[in-house]
Amino acid sequence: MKATVMMPLCLGMALLTATAQAAPAIYPVDTARFLGTSKFDFKVEFDRELSQSDIDVRINGKSVADVFGAKPEFIKNEEGKGSAILLRNVSLKPGKYAVTAKDGKEEARAAWDVYGTPEKAKAKNVILLIADGLSMGHRTGARLLSKGVTNGMYNGYLSMDTLPYTGMLGTCSVDSIAADSANTASAYMTGHKSSVNAIGVYADRTKDPFDDPRQENIAELLRRKTNKSIGIVSDAEVEDATPASVVSHTRKRSEKAAIVGMFAGIRPEVLIGGGSAYFLPRTVPGSKRKDEKDYVEDFRKAGYALATTRTELMNVMEKTPDRLLGLFHTGNLDGALDRKQLKKGTVSKFPDQPDLTDSMNAALKVLSKNPNGFFLMLEAGLVDKYTHPLDWERAIYDTIMFDKVVAQAQAFCDANPDTLLIVTGDHTHALSIIGTVDDNLPGELMRDKVGIYAAAGYPNYKDADGDGYPDSVNVSKRLAAFIGNYPDHYETYRPKLDGPFVPAVKDENGHYIANAAYKDVPGAQFVPGNLPRTESTGVHAIDDLVVGARGPNADQIHGFMNSTEIFRIMAEAMALGN
Amino acid sequence: MKSWLAVLLCFVLGVQVADAGTERRLSFDELYSGGGALGLRFSDKVLSSEGKWISIRGFMAPPLKADADFFVLTREPVALCPFCQSDSDWPDNILVVYLSEKQRFVQNNAVIEVEGELEVGSWTDERTGFVSQLRLRNATFHKL
């Protein structure tokens, strides 16, 4: 074809594309695979105002009302964006479903795979341990620092290394190949994928962060279908994305005050973490609420024993309570390196914080009181909080702490073999260990002191007290670890002994520039960022996650899986489809 | 009066006014005296400085919203978490500064000194809904 003929054709095609109607949006989305009998909101959004008679939505050829036994609400015009139909709180029996939505011009299709679970539960208890952001580099770093290597052989394994079933998880989102901790944790807790920043909902087009089509979460299913206890433990704020995902539905993970209300709605038997600021009425210094609600009092009235320091936790646990609320910090707790060794971060303000192993111990004791079993989600939240600002030493110390929690869980499984244990992260970071940094190597620049290949040799960390953590993080020959994406910053090739790293700060144009506080650290080297200048820290990687498991149904974890399979495996173990 | 004398007089008077105004210097470490997860406690120095003219050094956080007529002063430069940029994710020991007149944003890398009248207790900014515990009113700042 001659170019003169091609040109108008291309132009015509471009115009056609630009003016074309968007196909209707169907929620749950195409490719959704979810639990039969679990509740969800069904919604179809059309991109222009229609009359009800223009709309034809069918599920396996039947009308919506026929399939769900109720007529959907017709919304004539949703915020000026077009018509919609909405039917909340419905469920389906297991099977394959083909959804079609026509508006007279455009047509959309969605295929749903709705699965069931066996009638009889295989597991009495399920423990899901998540180190937020856990990547291969964290695991390797924790093993190197905690166990050491002799002649190429590790001197010991991490507890998480010894889980009999291992797989890889893909963490992509509905709206992006990338993910954050909201939608990744939400995938574990609902079995549905979601969008970045969303928890327990499909992100729709409306502004309201609480009206999006809901996906029933595991806490609601457990309350509706079982008499099991629920435990939620973190060392981040309890309202942070991962712990919030157990109970919440919101488009915006930052709605932390509302998330506290959702915890109160579910009343998990154990709720432990930081974030007390969102429990306190706004008149209390340290509160981050904008109202007068006092959720500490609310939980107390509901029969919760309260602990706000490690000492109080130990005292409360002398007579194991039925319900436990542990709030140990207004924000995130401090990590192992600051609490145990450096005494930086906020340790001077909150000097008596529990270790995650203390919280795990307390949670298992309280939850074990229930003869019907329990579901426990524990998060080591700071692995991610430290990896974001490129502070990998703190992240690796917390990975060691997380592994101690895994060991506690494995001991519990030894004594209670009817427990399914799953250990994983929720997304990864681009952390890699490449050798050592040796202060005693010759070289004008710190980069010349990076030992690679044979020159890396072995680091000289010591663990004389045998607590599993190096006695000092600041040794003369230490790990060389780098994170593959970053804002402008100063690379110091050293652990940050004065407090967690703040690599970049915002300028008057909204750009993040290298934090000058590190400029004069001996050997500091300016590293121009490779992320958009709007980013303050490193970002999540899309690399696969490693997941390990043991106990009933753990054998289903192998090879590569979409992250939503974790929900299915847990739901099947507890027979939540019945 | 010779002009140089006028300038000198103004200068001397100006210095005197400033001296009389800046009675107290506060530091971030002196804002709260302990407390814990159930709430922080204002220090005696803060409580006795209520309504008084004070000065404090810190870092100016980037403007919260374009139309806000205040800024947040922090102990350290802040880089907010990328996924939780709601106003409630600030460190809990911040000071909200209402300027007497508009001044240019100063890079978060530089220490500034702020002077103003100390206001203590929970208060919600009407325009933005921002809740603060400690504020400086009629404030001015300069770079160090």
Side-chain angles (χ1 to χ4, degrees):
Chain A
M1 198 184 292
K2 282 184 178 171
T4 45
V5 183
M6 282 279 287
M7 286 233 332
L9 194 66
C10 287
L11 193 66
M13 280 170 73
L15 281 173
L16 194 69
T17 311
T19 54
Q21 304 280 336
I26 302 171
Y27 304 108
V29 295
D30 183 32
T31 72
R33 173 167 150 80
F34 54 93
L35 176 67
T37 75
S38 72
K39 304 280 186 190
F40 62 92
D41 294 343
F42 176 63
K43 187 181 185 192
V44 182
E45 294 177 345
F46 302 92
D47 78 337
R48 64 190 198 284
E49 192 177 310
L50 300 165
S51 64
Q52 208 162 347
S53 58
D54 295 333
I55 292 172
D56 182 23
V57 178
R58 299 197 166 265
I59 299 171
N60 285 353
K62 294 181 190 161
S63 76
V64 175
D66 281 350
V67 171
F68 294 123
K71 225 176 148 213
E73 176 193 356
F74 174 70
I75 303 160
K76 183 76 179 155
N77 200 336
E78 199 174 49
E79 298 179 2
K81 291 167 184 163
S83 303
I85 60 162
L86 175 65
L87 186 57
R88 294 198 186 272
N89 223 17
V90 294
S91 62
L92 288 171
K93 287 180 186 156
K96 303 274 187 193
Y97 293 87
V99 188
T100 55
K102 297 179 189 170
D103 63 8
K105 288 186 178 170
E106 294 294 323
E107 178 179 340
R109 291 171 184 271
W112 299 337
D113 178 7
V114 180
Y115 55 81
T117 63
E119 270 179 34
K120 206 169 160 335
K122 297 180 199 170
K124 178 182 168 190
N125 313 306
V126 172
I127 301 175
L128 175 62
L129 303 180
I130 298 172
D132 203 300
L134 185 69
S135 316
M136 208 52 101
H138 296 112
R139 293 175 73 121
T140 307
R143 198 182 308 110
L144 282 166
L145 260 61
S146 189
K147 309 294 177 186
V149 187
T150 305
N151 295 327
M153 302 288 269
Y154 278 95
N155 300 332
Y157 293 150
L158 297 172
S159 182
M160 65 178 104
D161 293 334
T162 67
L163 293 163
Y165 297 97
T166 304
M168 290 182 295
L169 297 176
T171 59
C172 298
S173 316
V174 169
D175 59 338
S176 170
I177 55 170
D180 77 314
S181 297
N183 68 80
T184 55
S186 181
Y188 296 157
M189 296 307 157
T190 68
H192 293 262
K193 289 281 187 178
S194 185
S195 299
V196 173
N197 285 338
I199 301 172
V201 294
Y202 283 106
D204 71 5
R205 63 188 173 186
T206 65
K207 281 192 194 121
D208 183 347
F210 301 110
D211 74 346
D212 300 67
R214 292 184 172 207
Q215 310 150 338
E216 191 170 27
N217 58 45
I218 198 161
E220 291 162 336
L221 278 160
L222 287 164
R223 285 289 186 250
R224 193 158 67 84
K225 300 195 169 198
T226 78
N227 295 313
K228 292 185 192 298
S229 290
I230 298 169
I232 303 167
V233 178
S234 179
D235 52 5
E237 296 171 319
V238 293
E239 310 84 7
D240 201 17
T242 308
S245 71
V246 185
V247 303
S248 305
H249 301 281
T250 176
R251 174 69 182 92
K252 271 172 71 184
R253 57 180 283 179
S254 57
E255 292 287 350
K256 294 180 184 178
I259 287 167
V260 173
M262 299 179 199
F263 279 119
I266 292 288
R267 297 267 190 231
E269 278 71 10
V270 173
L271 181 58
I272 295 178
S276 64
Y278 299 95
F279 282 69
L280 304 171
R282 70 171 168 183
T283 44
V284 175
S287 165
K288 288 183 174 176
R289 293 195 70 84
K290 294 180 188 296
D291 58 29
E292 302 301 327
K293 283 185 189 147
D294 182 346
Y295 274 103
V296 172
E297 195 50 36
D298 176 82
F299 273 76
R300 266 191 183 134
K301 277 188 189 153
Y304 281 75
L306 174 71
T308 64
T309 61
R310 181 177 188 275
T311 309
E312 285 180 19
L313 180 64
M314 296 301 147
N315 291 341
V316 159
M317 290 307 295
E318 277 178 17
K319 187 170 174 277
T320 309
D322 295 329
R323 290 174 148 197
L324 173 62
L325 176 67
L327 293 173
F328 301 107
H329 202 293
T330 48
N332 298 318
L333 276 68
D334 288 290
L337 181 58
D338 286 312
R339 277 186 294 105
K340 290 173 188 291
Q341 296 184 3
L342 299 178
K343 308 295 175 195
K344 298 293 182 184
T346 61
V347 172
S348 61
K349 272 170 72 184
F350 295 89
D352 189 17
Q353 303 173 41
D355 193 76
L356 205 46
T357 53
D358 298 323
S359 301
M360 175 67 168
N361 219 3
L364 286 177
K365 277 188 182 151
V366 175
L367 297 172
S368 299
K369 285 177 89 173
N370 186 343
N372 300 305
F374 63 83
F375 168 72
L376 167 63
M377 193 295 299
L378 175 143
E379 178 204 32
L382 307 177
V383 173
D384 176 72
K385 302 281 182 222
Y386 292 136
T387 312
H388 269 294
L390 320 179
D391 198 329
W392 59 265
E393 289 94 341
R394 281 180 170 80
I396 286 178
Y397 267 61
D398 273 34
T399 308
I400 296 173
M401 175 172 69
F402 177 66
D403 194 60
K404 290 175 183 293
V405 173
V406 177
Q408 286 173 290
Q410 293 231 54
F412 184 87
C413 291
D414 290 342
N416 303 274
D418 49 0
T419 303
L420 167 63
L421 169 64
I422 299 177
V423 179
T424 186
D426 58 343
H427 58 75
T428 52
H429 284 274
L431 170 64
S432 281
I433 296 162
I434 58 115
T436 58
V437 176
D438 187 349
D439 287 336
N440 296 315
L441 278 180
E444 198 182 325
L445 303 175
M446 281 305 289
R447 62 187 290 189
D448 296 326
K449 297 173 189 289
V450 175
I452 53 170
Y453 299 112
Y458 286 81
N460 58 3
Y461 298 100
K462 296 266 183 315
D463 180 17
D465 61 7
D467 68 351
Y469 299 92
D471 302 330
S472 169
V473 69
N474 191 29
V475 292
S476 61
K477 194 173 181 185
R478 48 198 178 268
L479 290 188
F482 297 102
I483 289 165
N485 60 82
Y486 37 78
D488 286 5
H489 67 286
Y490 288 96
E491 173 60 69
T492 67
Y493 298 90
R494 297 174 195 285
K496 310 300 181 287
L497 302 179
D498 295 330
F501 192 22
V502 180
V505 293
K506 210 177 200 174
D507 71 6
E508 63 272 34
N509 303 315
H511 294 158
Y512 279 87
I513 56 172
N515 185 350
Y518 303 92
K519 192 178 175 183
D520 298 324
V521 174
Q525 172 189 331
F526 176 73
V527 181
N530 58 8
L531 292 173
R533 287 174 294 171
T534 48
E535 292 309 302
S536 58
T537 65
V539 300
H540 300 167
I542 300 159
D543 304 354
D544 297 342
L545 271 173
V546 175
V547 53
R550 67 177 276 184
N553 230 27
D555 57 349
Q556 293 204 34
I557 287 181
H558 54 78
F560 175 83
M561 298 179 293
N562 283 305
S563 59
T564 45
E565 286 297 282
I566 296 300
F567 172 86
R568 188 187 61 75
I569 290 165
M570 296 192 302
E572 192 174 287
M574 293 188 282
L576 295 182
N578 298 312
Chain B
M1 200 188 294
K2 283 187 176 171
S3 61
W4 63 267
L5 192 61
V7 170
L8 186 67
L9 250 177
C10 285
F11 181 71
V12 171
L13 281 172
V15 168
Q16 276 179 343
V17 168
D19 273 348
T22 52
E23 285 177 3
R24 285 162 188 251
R25 178 182 291 279
L26 267 179
S27 79
F28 270 96
D29 291 335
E30 294 170 333
L31 298 183
Y32 295 96
S33 63
L38 295 185
L40 308 174
R41 260 197 318 271
F42 294 122
S43 68
D44 290 344
K45 191 166 178 184
V46 159
L47 292 173
S48 67
S49 303
E50 188 169 358
K52 300 219 167 73
W53 198 258
I54 66 117
S55 73
I56 183 165
R57 292 177 180 188
F59 293 88
M60 183 186 210
L64 182 75
K65 285 175 184 161
D67 61 342
D69 58 355
F70 63 86
F71 70 86
V72 174
L73 193 71
T74 61
R75 188 179 188 278
E76 310 284 351
V78 291
L80 292 179
C81 132
F83 289 109
C84 30
Q85 279 179 340
S86 72
D87 53 358
S88 45
D89 284 292
W90 295 92
D92 47 21
N93 59 340
I94 58 167
L95 200 72
V96 166
V97 178
Y98 287 87
L99 294 169
S100 57
E101 55 187 72
K102 252 199 165 142
Q103 281 186 263
R104 247 182 87 90
F105 175 76
V106 167
Q107 289 225 343
N108 200 213
N109 264 342
V111 180
I112 58 171
E113 186 162 78
V114 190
E115 294 167 8
E117 191 185 330
L118 184 66
E119 197 175 273
V120 180
S122 179
W123 194 78
T124 308
D125 183 78
E126 281 169 13
R127 283 173 63 196
T128 61
F130 196 88
V131 180
S132 58
Q133 299 293 336
L134 289 170
R135 290 159 302 284
L136 287 183
R137 295 278 182 185
N138 303 314
T140 57
F141 70 84
H142 61 273
K143 264 183 163 176
L144 288 175

